[in-house]
Amino acid sequence: MKQLPYAITLDPGTSVSNMTGSWRSEKPVYLDRIPPCNNTCAAGEDIQDWLLHAEEGNYQAAWQSLVVNNPMPAVMGRVCYHPCETACNRGQLDEAVSIHSVERFLGDEALKHGWKPNFKASSTGKHVLVIGAGPSGLSAAYHLTRLGHKVTIHEAGPMAGGMMRFGIPKYRLPREILDGEIQRIIDMGVTVKLNTKADNIEHVFKEDGFDAVFVAVGAHLAKRVNIPAHQAGRILDAASVLRDIETGAEPPQLGRRVIVYGGGNTAMDVARTARRLGVDEAMIVYRRSRKEMPAHDFEATEAEEEGVLIHWLRTIKQIDETTFTVEKMEIDEDGRPQPTGEFEELEADTLILALGQDVDTTFLDEVPGVEIESDGVVQVDAHMMTGRDGLFAGGDMVPSERTVTVAIGHGKKAARNIDAWLRGSSYDPAEKHELAEFEKLNTWYYEDAPKTQQPQLDVIRRQSSFDEVIGELDENNALFEARRCLS
Ligand SMILES: Cc1cc2nc3c(=O)[nH]c(=O)nc-3n(C[C@H](O)[C@H](O)[C@H](O)COP(=O)(O)OP(=O)(O)OC[C@H]3O[C@@H](n4cnc5c(N)ncnc54)[C@H](O)[C@@H]3O)c2cc1C
Ligand code: SF4
């Protein structure tokens, strides 16, 4: 059966079950519906559009379409948890299109060939300060530049990238990829001042003369927990361990056995990193079961493949030098972990806390109008503006899901709102079209086309090196994968 390049969308109620009768003579109707992938991408990509260019083998046009919304496709194709694929209609036929792997292929092609984003913008004469060079700040800087504004970023750290560099390990995001995509943003004319910590917001408005400010300082304060300890051994926090490895500081002395406490992506990453640093036993202790963990299932699977042992349904009750007393837990009917009164002992030289991070908002405490929630995040309105006129915020420091994709999406949304605010108007996005749900598609003419799998590094090398674990698709596979799209 021949595969057509696009699906015909029928009016609701039109039957396609027997393909006989009036169906044969009816003309197809073109309806503009939003595909579920576009609808779920927090970076707001027009996936349907760039996949169409990729299907035609026009990779540069595909990449240009992609970077209208997302400045870092090579990064996103690696670290995004790709909710677009969970929503993909093809998943109901056989398997979802591997959107992220095609995105990564396009991102890598752009770096290889030195493609630059095409845009024309005349200077507005406005100067915007971005605080924090994580994904949210970099995305805001990129989009503000595309809109004709001059942008300066003040970054407290010694390198740009935020948690993409100081959190996500190299084996998931090689640094030459991250550096390449950051450099492309700088080459557009963005000034980045490193080792420049923002501490006085009113000063940057009144004395430095910035017209608007976007703050995206992330969440970097490690959460602590009180555990009764008699001569506790070494206790570290995950964010500092990962950061020290990146800055090239003395490698952390972890000993032979490590317990990581927590069940999120940071816990998985730090346990996998400990294995690569030569630790014999890397264990994770988490108080709930695999079903309730905040990490994605594939992250736990990859950690286990590398020899990380996960003790589900356990809390640490006491530490006595290298002996950890843990209590078994059970999940009650409300999904909460409850103690059982049963105890076990584990032996470890180091405890690494991976219990999440809080936002350091001390530099915003005195800014009039800024509201800080009880859990430390900063309140913004529908236009990403805080209670202080002209001060916008986004990324991990505002109430939302904490992912690179959301941070990049916030950067774009903030840029569009800042642009409107600077022009004395308001940014109101167009209403979304009706969703193209699977039931509304006519899919009878599609052939089975199994999803292309990305190659994986062998486990021995994964345990002993920081080489990238997941490999890329070659051109043939990327083209095949793009053509699996039903649109
Ligand atoms: C270990 C780990 C693994 C993760 N893995 C993934 C993943 O695979 N996929 C995913 O989507 N998400 C992942 N995340 C989450 C993701 O990294 C964050 O949600 C995202 O980086 C948030 O972006 P941001 O720009 O808001 O903040 P950040 O990335 O935290 O960047 C904030 C920047 O602001 C700077 N800064 C802080 N204070 C100041 C100040 N006062 N003045 C100037 N600069 C300042 C910081 O130095 C930093 O560079 C992971 C997080 C961690 C910790
Ligand atoms: S950024 Fe994430 S959600 Fe958006 S298209 Fe890429 S993989 Fe999908």
Side-chain angles (χ1 to χ4, degrees), residues 341-375:
E342 289 177 57
F343 298 91
E344 293 173 344
E345 284 185 353
L346 298 172
E347 289 293 324
D349 307 297
T350 305
L351 173 66
I352 304 179
L353 301 175
L355 303 167
Q357 286 97 235
D358 288 324
V359 186
D360 181 358
T361 50
T362 39
F363 70 107
L364 293 172
D365 286 349
E366 302 300 314
V367 182
V370 172
E371 272 179 57
I372 296 167
E373 308 253 300
S374 55
D375 58 356

PDB file of all heavy atoms in Angstrom, residues 341-375:
ATOM      1  N   GLY A 341       7.655  -0.014  60.852  1.00  0.00           N
ATOM      2  CA  GLY A 341       8.273  -0.496  62.088  1.00  0.00           C
ATOM      3  C   GLY A 341       9.301  -1.598  61.834  1.00  0.00           C
ATOM      4  O   GLY A 341       9.874  -2.155  62.772  1.00  0.00           O
ATOM      5  N   GLU A 342       9.541  -1.921  60.566  1.00  0.00           N
ATOM      6  CA  GLU A 342      10.576  -2.932  60.241  1.00  0.00           C
ATOM      7  C   GLU A 342      11.840  -2.212  59.775  1.00  0.00           C
ATOM      8  O   GLU A 342      11.754  -1.291  58.960  1.00  0.00           O
ATOM      9  CB  GLU A 342      10.109  -3.829  59.099  1.00  0.00           C
ATOM     10  CG  GLU A 342       9.005  -4.782  59.475  1.00  0.00           C
ATOM     11  CD  GLU A 342       8.576  -5.578  58.254  1.00  0.00           C
ATOM     12  OE1 GLU A 342       9.434  -6.239  57.655  1.00  0.00           O
ATOM     13  OE2 GLU A 342       7.393  -5.484  57.891  1.00  0.00           O
ATOM     14  N   PHE A 343      12.974  -2.650  60.274  1.00  0.00           N
ATOM     15  CA  PHE A 343      14.234  -1.944  59.989  1.00  0.00           C
ATOM     16  C   PHE A 343      15.270  -2.868  59.343  1.00  0.00           C
ATOM     17  O   PHE A 343      15.221  -4.092  59.523  1.00  0.00           O
ATOM     18  CB  PHE A 343      14.801  -1.362  61.293  1.00  0.00           C
ATOM     19  CG  PHE A 343      13.882  -0.340  61.912  1.00  0.00           C
ATOM     20  CD1 PHE A 343      12.911  -0.712  62.841  1.00  0.00           C
ATOM     21  CD2 PHE A 343      13.958   0.998  61.542  1.00  0.00           C
ATOM     22  CE1 PHE A 343      12.043   0.223  63.387  1.00  0.00           C
ATOM     23  CE2 PHE A 343      13.088   1.938  62.082  1.00  0.00           C
ATOM     24  CZ  PHE A 343      12.128   1.544  63.005  1.00  0.00           C
ATOM     25  N   GLU A 344      16.191  -2.227  58.601  1.00  0.00           N
ATOM     26  CA  GLU A 344      17.317  -2.954  57.988  1.00  0.00           C
ATOM     27  C   GLU A 344      18.568  -2.095  58.157  1.00  0.00           C
ATOM     28  O   GLU A 344      18.455  -0.895  58.438  1.00  0.00           O
ATOM     29  CB  GLU A 344      17.122  -3.109  56.480  1.00  0.00           C
ATOM     30  CG  GLU A 344      16.012  -3.977  56.046  1.00  0.00           C
ATOM     31  CD  GLU A 344      15.817  -3.911  54.529  1.00  0.00           C
ATOM     32  OE1 GLU A 344      16.337  -2.984  53.867  1.00  0.00           O
ATOM     33  OE2 GLU A 344      15.131  -4.777  54.033  1.00  0.00           O
ATOM     34  N   GLU A 345      19.706  -2.675  57.906  1.00  0.00           N
ATOM     35  CA  GLU A 345      20.941  -1.881  57.950  1.00  0.00           C
ATOM     36  C   GLU A 345      21.655  -1.921  56.604  1.00  0.00           C
ATOM     37  O   GLU A 345      21.691  -2.977  55.953  1.00  0.00           O
ATOM     38  CB  GLU A 345      21.863  -2.390  59.056  1.00  0.00           C
ATOM     39  CG  GLU A 345      21.362  -1.936  60.414  1.00  0.00           C
ATOM     40  CD  GLU A 345      22.278  -2.299  61.559  1.00  0.00           C
ATOM     41  OE1 GLU A 345      23.264  -3.032  61.343  1.00  0.00           O
ATOM     42  OE2 GLU A 345      22.004  -1.832  62.668  1.00  0.00           O
ATOM     43  N   LEU A 346      22.201  -0.775  56.200  1.00  0.00           N
ATOM     44  CA  LEU A 346      23.011  -0.692  54.983  1.00  0.00           C
ATOM     45  C   LEU A 346      24.349  -0.085  55.362  1.00  0.00           C
ATOM     46  O   LEU A 346      24.411   0.735  56.286  1.00  0.00           O
ATOM     47  CB  LEU A 346      22.334   0.209  53.929  1.00  0.00           C
ATOM     48  CG  LEU A 346      20.968  -0.209  53.385  1.00  0.00           C
ATOM     49  CD1 LEU A 346      20.392   0.912  52.511  1.00  0.00           C
ATOM     50  CD2 LEU A 346      21.098  -1.495  52.564  1.00  0.00           C
ATOM     51  N   GLU A 347      25.394  -0.441  54.653  1.00  0.00           N
ATOM     52  CA  GLU A 347      26.722   0.114  54.930  1.00  0.00           C
ATOM     53  C   GLU A 347      27.134   1.061  53.800  1.00  0.00           C
ATOM     54  O   GLU A 347      27.001   0.703  52.615  1.00  0.00           O
ATOM     55  CB  GLU A 347      27.763  -1.010  55.023  1.00  0.00           C
ATOM     56  CG  GLU A 347      27.657  -1.874  56.260  1.00  0.00           C
ATOM     57  CD  GLU A 347      27.999  -1.110  57.539  1.00  0.00           C
ATOM     58  OE1 GLU A 347      28.911  -0.244  57.490  1.00  0.00           O
ATOM     59  OE2 GLU A 347      27.341  -1.358  58.567  1.00  0.00           O
ATOM     60  N   ALA A 348      27.600   2.260  54.141  1.00  0.00           N
ATOM     61  CA  ALA A 348      28.083   3.187  53.099  1.00  0.00           C
ATOM     62  C   ALA A 348      29.094   4.161  53.695  1.00  0.00           C
ATOM     63  O   ALA A 348      29.038   4.489  54.882  1.00  0.00           O
ATOM     64  CB  ALA A 348      26.924   3.955  52.492  1.00  0.00           C
ATOM     65  N   ASP A 349      30.016   4.630  52.842  1.00  0.00           N
ATOM     66  CA  ASP A 349      31.030   5.592  53.300  1.00  0.00           C
ATOM     67  C   ASP A 349      30.537   7.029  53.160  1.00  0.00           C
ATOM     68  O   ASP A 349      30.987   7.922  53.862  1.00  0.00           O
ATOM     69  CB  ASP A 349      32.312   5.424  52.457  1.00  0.00           C
ATOM     70  CG  ASP A 349      32.768   3.971  52.458  1.00  0.00           C
ATOM     71  OD1 ASP A 349      33.094   3.490  53.552  1.00  0.00           O
ATOM     72  OD2 ASP A 349      32.736   3.331  51.394  1.00  0.00           O
ATOM     73  N   THR A 350      29.650   7.247  52.183  1.00  0.00           N
ATOM     74  CA  THR A 350      29.183   8.624  51.911  1.00  0.00           C
ATOM     75  C   THR A 350      27.685   8.635  51.680  1.00  0.00           C
ATOM     76  O   THR A 350      27.138   7.717  51.044  1.00  0.00           O
ATOM     77  CB  THR A 350      29.878   9.175  50.637  1.00  0.00           C
ATOM     78  OG1 THR A 350      31.286   9.071  50.803  1.00  0.00           O
ATOM     79  CG2 THR A 350      29.503  10.616  50.365  1.00  0.00           C
ATOM     80  N   LEU A 351      27.043   9.684  52.183  1.00  0.00           N
ATOM     81  CA  LEU A 351      25.622   9.903  51.900  1.00  0.00           C
ATOM     82  C   LEU A 351      25.524  11.136  51.009  1.00  0.00           C
ATOM     83  O   LEU A 351      26.095  12.185  51.319  1.00  0.00           O
ATOM     84  CB  LEU A 351      24.853  10.146  53.209  1.00  0.00           C
ATOM     85  CG  LEU A 351      23.386  10.558  53.055  1.00  0.00           C
ATOM     86  CD1 LEU A 351      22.549   9.435  52.444  1.00  0.00           C
ATOM     87  CD2 LEU A 351      22.796  10.950  54.422  1.00  0.00           C
ATOM     88  N   ILE A 352      24.817  10.993  49.886  1.00  0.00           N
ATOM     89  CA  ILE A 352      24.593  12.166  49.021  1.00  0.00           C
ATOM     90  C   ILE A 352      23.101  12.479  49.030  1.00  0.00           C
ATOM     91  O   ILE A 352      22.275  11.630  48.657  1.00  0.00           O
ATOM     92  CB  ILE A 352      25.076  11.912  47.569  1.00  0.00           C
ATOM     93  CG1 ILE A 352      26.549  11.500  47.544  1.00  0.00           C
ATOM     94  CG2 ILE A 352      24.854  13.150  46.717  1.00  0.00           C
ATOM     95  CD1 ILE A 352      27.103  11.212  46.149  1.00  0.00           C
ATOM     96  N   LEU A 353      22.760  13.691  49.461  1.00  0.00           N
ATOM     97  CA  LEU A 353      21.347  14.085  49.524  1.00  0.00           C
ATOM     98  C   LEU A 353      20.897  14.608  48.167  1.00  0.00           C
ATOM     99  O   LEU A 353      21.524  15.512  47.602  1.00  0.00           O
ATOM    100  CB  LEU A 353      21.149  15.168  50.584  1.00  0.00           C
ATOM    101  CG  LEU A 353      21.565  14.803  52.010  1.00  0.00           C
ATOM    102  CD1 LEU A 353      21.435  16.017  52.919  1.00  0.00           C
ATOM    103  CD2 LEU A 353      20.730  13.640  52.543  1.00  0.00           C
ATOM    104  N   ALA A 354      19.835  14.015  47.649  1.00  0.00           N
ATOM    105  CA  ALA A 354      19.277  14.473  46.366  1.00  0.00           C
ATOM    106  C   ALA A 354      17.782  14.680  46.586  1.00  0.00           C
ATOM    107  O   ALA A 354      16.946  13.954  46.058  1.00  0.00           O
ATOM    108  CB  ALA A 354      19.540  13.447  45.275  1.00  0.00           C
ATOM    109  N   LEU A 355      17.471  15.676  47.421  1.00  0.00           N
ATOM    110  CA  LEU A 355      16.090  15.868  47.876  1.00  0.00           C
ATOM    111  C   LEU A 355      15.441  17.089  47.237  1.00  0.00           C
ATOM    112  O   LEU A 355      14.420  17.581  47.695  1.00  0.00           O
ATOM    113  CB  LEU A 355      16.086  16.011  49.417  1.00  0.00           C
ATOM    114  CG  LEU A 355      16.717  14.821  50.151  1.00  0.00           C
ATOM    115  CD1 LEU A 355      16.966  15.150  51.610  1.00  0.00           C
ATOM    116  CD2 LEU A 355      15.826  13.594  50.037  1.00  0.00           C
ATOM    117  N   GLY A 356      16.081  17.608  46.195  1.00  0.00           N
ATOM    118  CA  GLY A 356      15.507  18.765  45.493  1.00  0.00           C
ATOM    119  C   GLY A 356      16.202  20.054  45.877  1.00  0.00           C
ATOM    120  O   GLY A 356      17.050  20.080  46.776  1.00  0.00           O
ATOM    121  N   GLN A 357      15.866  21.121  45.164  1.00  0.00           N
ATOM    122  CA  GLN A 357      16.506  22.419  45.390  1.00  0.00           C
ATOM    123  C   GLN A 357      15.470  23.519  45.603  1.00  0.00           C
ATOM    124  O   GLN A 357      14.390  23.461  45.032  1.00  0.00           O
ATOM    125  CB  GLN A 357      17.376  22.827  44.194  1.00  0.00           C
ATOM    126  CG  GLN A 357      18.677  22.063  44.090  1.00  0.00           C
ATOM    127  CD  GLN A 357      18.560  20.907  43.137  1.00  0.00           C
ATOM    128  OE1 GLN A 357      18.846  19.762  43.479  1.00  0.00           O
ATOM    129  NE2 GLN A 357      18.116  21.176  41.932  1.00  0.00           N
ATOM    130  N   ASP A 358      15.842  24.499  46.423  1.00  0.00           N
ATOM    131  CA  ASP A 358      15.010  25.688  46.631  1.00  0.00           C
ATOM    132  C   ASP A 358      15.613  26.869  45.876  1.00  0.00           C
ATOM    133  O   ASP A 358      16.782  26.844  45.490  1.00  0.00           O
ATOM    134  CB  ASP A 358      14.949  26.033  48.129  1.00  0.00           C
ATOM    135  CG  ASP A 358      14.097  25.029  48.892  1.00  0.00           C
ATOM    136  OD1 ASP A 358      13.091  24.576  48.326  1.00  0.00           O
ATOM    137  OD2 ASP A 358      14.453  24.710  50.044  1.00  0.00           O
ATOM    138  N   VAL A 359      14.787  27.917  45.710  1.00  0.00           N
ATOM    139  CA  VAL A 359      15.245  29.117  44.998  1.00  0.00           C
ATOM    140  C   VAL A 359      15.849  30.100  45.998  1.00  0.00           C
ATOM    141  O   VAL A 359      15.278  30.324  47.067  1.00  0.00           O
ATOM    142  CB  VAL A 359      14.040  29.813  44.294  1.00  0.00           C
ATOM    143  CG1 VAL A 359      14.512  30.979  43.438  1.00  0.00           C
ATOM    144  CG2 VAL A 359      13.252  28.818  43.457  1.00  0.00           C
ATOM    145  N   ASP A 360      16.988  30.687  45.634  1.00  0.00           N
ATOM    146  CA  ASP A 360      17.577  31.731  46.478  1.00  0.00           C
ATOM    147  C   ASP A 360      17.021  33.073  46.009  1.00  0.00           C
ATOM    148  O   ASP A 360      17.441  33.618  44.987  1.00  0.00           O
ATOM    149  CB  ASP A 360      19.108  31.703  46.340  1.00  0.00           C
ATOM    150  CG  ASP A 360      19.773  32.756  47.209  1.00  0.00           C
ATOM    151  OD1 ASP A 360      19.041  33.515  47.884  1.00  0.00           O
ATOM    152  OD2 ASP A 360      21.020  32.826  47.201  1.00  0.00           O
ATOM    153  N   THR A 361      16.053  33.587  46.765  1.00  0.00           N
ATOM    154  CA  THR A 361      15.384  34.830  46.337  1.00  0.00           C
ATOM    155  C   THR A 361      15.804  36.027  47.188  1.00  0.00           C
ATOM    156  O   THR A 361      15.145  37.068  47.138  1.00  0.00           O
ATOM    157  CB  THR A 361      13.853  34.677  46.433  1.00  0.00           C
ATOM    158  OG1 THR A 361      13.542  34.164  47.720  1.00  0.00           O
ATOM    159  CG2 THR A 361      13.293  33.778  45.360  1.00  0.00           C
ATOM    160  N   THR A 362      16.908  35.891  47.948  1.00  0.00           N
ATOM    161  CA  THR A 362      17.261  36.972  48.871  1.00  0.00           C
ATOM    162  C   THR A 362      17.411  38.310  48.134  1.00  0.00           C
ATOM    163  O   THR A 362      17.016  39.351  48.659  1.00  0.00           O
ATOM    164  CB  THR A 362      18.567  36.658  49.648  1.00  0.00           C
ATOM    165  OG1 THR A 362      19.469  36.025  48.750  1.00  0.00           O
ATOM    166  CG2 THR A 362      18.319  35.747  50.823  1.00  0.00           C
ATOM    167  N   PHE A 363      17.912  38.282  46.893  1.00  0.00           N
ATOM    168  CA  PHE A 363      18.134  39.546  46.186  1.00  0.00           C
ATOM    169  C   PHE A 363      16.819  40.173  45.713  1.00  0.00           C
ATOM    170  O   PHE A 363      16.810  41.302  45.217  1.00  0.00           O
ATOM    171  CB  PHE A 363      19.098  39.354  45.004  1.00  0.00           C
ATOM    172  CG  PHE A 363      18.527  38.573  43.852  1.00  0.00           C
ATOM    173  CD1 PHE A 363      18.187  39.208  42.675  1.00  0.00           C
ATOM    174  CD2 PHE A 363      18.335  37.210  43.951  1.00  0.00           C
ATOM    175  CE1 PHE A 363      17.663  38.490  41.608  1.00  0.00           C
ATOM    176  CE2 PHE A 363      17.798  36.485  42.897  1.00  0.00           C
ATOM    177  CZ  PHE A 363      17.469  37.122  41.731  1.00  0.00           C
ATOM    178  N   LEU A 364      15.712  39.440  45.882  1.00  0.00           N
ATOM    179  CA  LEU A 364      14.413  40.001  45.484  1.00  0.00           C
ATOM    180  C   LEU A 364      13.584  40.441  46.697  1.00  0.00           C
ATOM    181  O   LEU A 364      12.525  41.055  46.540  1.00  0.00           O
ATOM    182  CB  LEU A 364      13.613  38.963  44.689  1.00  0.00           C
ATOM    183  CG  LEU A 364      14.170  38.588  43.311  1.00  0.00           C
ATOM    184  CD1 LEU A 364      13.403  37.409  42.732  1.00  0.00           C
ATOM    185  CD2 LEU A 364      14.119  39.775  42.356  1.00  0.00           C
ATOM    186  N   ASP A 365      14.092  40.125  47.897  1.00  0.00           N
ATOM    187  CA  ASP A 365      13.315  40.383  49.115  1.00  0.00           C
ATOM    188  C   ASP A 365      12.871  41.836  49.238  1.00  0.00           C
ATOM    189  O   ASP A 365      11.758  42.130  49.656  1.00  0.00           O
ATOM    190  CB  ASP A 365      14.130  39.998  50.363  1.00  0.00           C
ATOM    191  CG  ASP A 365      14.203  38.482  50.527  1.00  0.00           C
ATOM    192  OD1 ASP A 365      13.455  37.793  49.811  1.00  0.00           O
ATOM    193  OD2 ASP A 365      15.036  38.008  51.325  1.00  0.00           O
ATOM    194  N   GLU A 366      13.759  42.746  48.874  1.00  0.00           N
ATOM    195  CA  GLU A 366      13.466  44.168  49.082  1.00  0.00           C
ATOM    196  C   GLU A 366      12.810  44.832  47.868  1.00  0.00           C
ATOM    197  O   GLU A 366      12.561  46.033  47.871  1.00  0.00           O
ATOM    198  CB  GLU A 366      14.772  44.927  49.389  1.00  0.00           C
ATOM    199  CG  GLU A 366      15.536  44.421  50.614  1.00  0.00           C
ATOM    200  CD  GLU A 366      14.705  44.511  51.877  1.00  0.00           C
ATOM    201  OE1 GLU A 366      14.073  45.566  52.089  1.00  0.00           O
ATOM    202  OE2 GLU A 366      14.670  43.506  52.626  1.00  0.00           O
ATOM    203  N   VAL A 367      12.571  44.058  46.797  1.00  0.00           N
ATOM    204  CA  VAL A 367      12.017  44.700  45.595  1.00  0.00           C
ATOM    205  C   VAL A 367      10.511  44.885  45.776  1.00  0.00           C
ATOM    206  O   VAL A 367       9.784  43.915  45.993  1.00  0.00           O
ATOM    207  CB  VAL A 367      12.308  43.848  44.332  1.00  0.00           C
ATOM    208  CG1 VAL A 367      11.778  44.544  43.090  1.00  0.00           C
ATOM    209  CG2 VAL A 367      13.792  43.574  44.206  1.00  0.00           C
ATOM    210  N   PRO A 368      10.029  46.138  45.705  1.00  0.00           N
ATOM    211  CA  PRO A 368       8.612  46.377  45.972  1.00  0.00           C
ATOM    212  C   PRO A 368       7.717  45.658  44.960  1.00  0.00           C
ATOM    213  O   PRO A 368       8.004  45.644  43.769  1.00  0.00           O
ATOM    214  CB  PRO A 368       8.468  47.904  45.820  1.00  0.00           C
ATOM    215  CG  PRO A 368       9.699  48.370  45.123  1.00  0.00           C
ATOM    216  CD  PRO A 368      10.764  47.363  45.349  1.00  0.00           C
ATOM    217  N   GLY A 369       6.671  45.008  45.473  1.00  0.00           N
ATOM    218  CA  GLY A 369       5.688  44.363  44.588  1.00  0.00           C
ATOM    219  C   GLY A 369       5.967  42.893  44.309  1.00  0.00           C
ATOM    220  O   GLY A 369       5.062  42.164  43.902  1.00  0.00           O
ATOM    221  N   VAL A 370       7.205  42.443  44.518  1.00  0.00           N
ATOM    222  CA  VAL A 370       7.527  41.041  44.197  1.00  0.00           C
ATOM    223  C   VAL A 370       6.966  40.124  45.284  1.00  0.00           C
ATOM    224  O   VAL A 370       7.219  40.316  46.463  1.00  0.00           O
ATOM    225  CB  VAL A 370       9.057  40.834  44.065  1.00  0.00           C
ATOM    226  CG1 VAL A 370       9.403  39.351  43.938  1.00  0.00           C
ATOM    227  CG2 VAL A 370       9.582  41.600  42.871  1.00  0.00           C
ATOM    228  N   GLU A 371       6.167  39.138  44.839  1.00  0.00           N
ATOM    229  CA  GLU A 371       5.560  38.214  45.806  1.00  0.00           C
ATOM    230  C   GLU A 371       6.283  36.882  45.771  1.00  0.00           C
ATOM    231  O   GLU A 371       6.439  36.281  44.697  1.00  0.00           O
ATOM    232  CB  GLU A 371       4.107  37.952  45.425  1.00  0.00           C
ATOM    233  CG  GLU A 371       3.142  38.947  46.017  1.00  0.00           C
ATOM    234  CD  GLU A 371       1.723  38.629  45.575  1.00  0.00           C
ATOM    235  OE1 GLU A 371       1.254  37.504  45.810  1.00  0.00           O
ATOM    236  OE2 GLU A 371       1.131  39.534  44.956  1.00  0.00           O
ATOM    237  N   ILE A 372       6.707  36.432  46.944  1.00  0.00           N
ATOM    238  CA  ILE A 372       7.407  35.149  47.019  1.00  0.00           C
ATOM    239  C   ILE A 372       6.506  34.168  47.775  1.00  0.00           C
ATOM    240  O   ILE A 372       6.015  34.464  48.860  1.00  0.00           O
ATOM    241  CB  ILE A 372       8.775  35.324  47.707  1.00  0.00           C
ATOM    242  CG1 ILE A 372       9.627  36.247  46.820  1.00  0.00           C
ATOM    243  CG2 ILE A 372       9.473  33.967  47.886  1.00  0.00           C
ATOM    244  CD1 ILE A 372      10.857  36.787  47.428  1.00  0.00           C
ATOM    245  N   GLU A 373       6.235  33.033  47.154  1.00  0.00           N
ATOM    246  CA  GLU A 373       5.325  32.042  47.749  1.00  0.00           C
ATOM    247  C   GLU A 373       5.976  31.391  48.967  1.00  0.00           C
ATOM    248  O   GLU A 373       7.198  31.461  49.126  1.00  0.00           O
ATOM    249  CB  GLU A 373       5.025  30.943  46.738  1.00  0.00           C
ATOM    250  CG  GLU A 373       4.554  31.450  45.410  1.00  0.00           C
ATOM    251  CD  GLU A 373       3.083  31.216  45.178  1.00  0.00           C
ATOM    252  OE1 GLU A 373       2.670  30.057  45.191  1.00  0.00           O
ATOM    253  OE2 GLU A 373       2.371  32.222  44.994  1.00  0.00           O
ATOM    254  N   SER A 374       5.156  30.668  49.752  1.00  0.00           N
ATOM    255  CA  SER A 374       5.695  30.055  50.971  1.00  0.00           C
ATOM    256  C   SER A 374       6.801  29.040  50.642  1.00  0.00           C
ATOM    257  O   SER A 374       7.724  28.836  51.427  1.00  0.00           O
ATOM    258  CB  SER A 374       4.573  29.380  51.758  1.00  0.00           C
ATOM    259  OG  SER A 374       3.921  28.469  50.910  1.00  0.00           O
ATOM    260  N   ASP A 375       6.738  28.405  49.464  1.00  0.00           N
ATOM    261  CA  ASP A 375       7.800  27.442  49.127  1.00  0.00           C
ATOM    262  C   ASP A 375       8.960  28.110  48.385  1.00  0.00           C
ATOM    263  O   ASP A 375       9.817  27.426  47.806  1.00  0.00           O
ATOM    264  CB  ASP A 375       7.249  26.259  48.319  1.00  0.00           C
ATOM    265  CG  ASP A 375       6.566  26.705  47.032  1.00  0.00           C
ATOM    266  OD1 ASP A 375       6.453  27.922  46.801  1.00  0.00           O
ATOM    267  OD2 ASP A 375       6.149  25.828  46.252  1.00  0.00           O
TER     268      ASP A 375
END
